[in-house]
Amino acid sequence: MSDIEIRLLRFDAEVAQRLVRAALADLGARYGGSGDETPVAAAEFEPPDGAFLVAYLDGEPVGCGGWRSHGDTGELAELKRMYTAPAARGRGVARAVLAAVERSAREQGRKRLVLECGDKQPEAIAMYQAAGYERIPNFGFYRDAPGCLSFGRTL
């Protein structure tokens, strides 16, 4: 069994950006365009207001995900840039990243995690639902876009 190691990295670190570019390319293939036009700044993922995590499998970076503060109550976090490289899919990477993101947000006082997803990501939707996420009213950049699905979970 391979060990998955999760590391906290800066969002603008080269390895993190390589995975983010792969994530956006995957979304672009599914939805067209750049994949995601949501405004994202590296500073949003700096603790204590956010975090960016990279998963390593057998020493290679294969997945990522992060959270950033959402709203102004200090209780909500938004999940962003979840991705697992195709060669590592089906090996628990995404679930490990999601658990680490949830733990990180909880440690910084967040009480709930929310996310936007599209209807052309059935594997992501299934994972979120299996992890206890429930549909919530759409929010964020794509709230009015056809196919936008928003989910949330109490941490």
Side-chain angles (χ1 to χ4, degrees), residues 84-107:
T84 301
R89 292 180 184 162
R91 298 176 69 183
V93 173
R95 289 181 188 272
V97 171
L98 182 60
V101 166
E102 292 173 340
R103 188 169 40 255
S104 171
R106 193 172 35 252
E107 287 170 355

Side-chain angles (χ1 to χ4, degrees), residues 2-137:
S2 301
D3 288 321
I4 300 168
E5 178 189 358
I6 307 289
R7 298 180 195 167
L8 176 65
L9 295 182
R10 290 181 52 90
F11 182 80
D12 56 4
E14 191 278 327
V15 67
Q17 283 300 295
R18 192 171 353 126
L19 289 164
V20 167
R21 284 190 301 274
L24 293 174
D26 181 79
L27 292 172
R30 294 173 195 248
Y31 300 103
S34 68
D36 187 354
E37 300 293 328
T38 305
V40 173
E44 296 174 313
F45 297 92
E46 291 294 318
D49 297 319
F52 198 77
L53 304 157
V54 172
Y56 290 77
L57 187 63
D58 298 328
E60 293 297 316
V62 296
C64 62
W67 68 271
R68 62 184 183 175
S69 292
H70 182 76
D72 54 11
T73 66
E75 294 187 354
L76 284 177
E78 180 185 10
L79 180 69
K80 292 300 296 176
R81 301 300 183 248
M82 278 288 293
Y83 175 73
T84 301
R89 292 180 184 162
R91 298 176 69 183
V93 173
R95 289 181 188 272
V97 171
L98 182 60
V101 166
E102 292 173 340
R103 188 169 40 255
S104 171
R106 193 172 35 252
E107 287 170 355
Q108 295 299 329
R110 301 317 182 272
K111 302 202 180 320
R112 189 162 175 77
L113 192 62
V114 297
L115 65 98
E116 282 184 304
C117 188
D119 62 358
K120 295 179 183 177
Q121 296 168 266
E123 66 286 358
I125 293 165
M127 181 192 69
Y128 295 134
Q129 290 176 326
Y133 286 78
E134 298 177 338
R135 285 291 310 275
I136 61 171

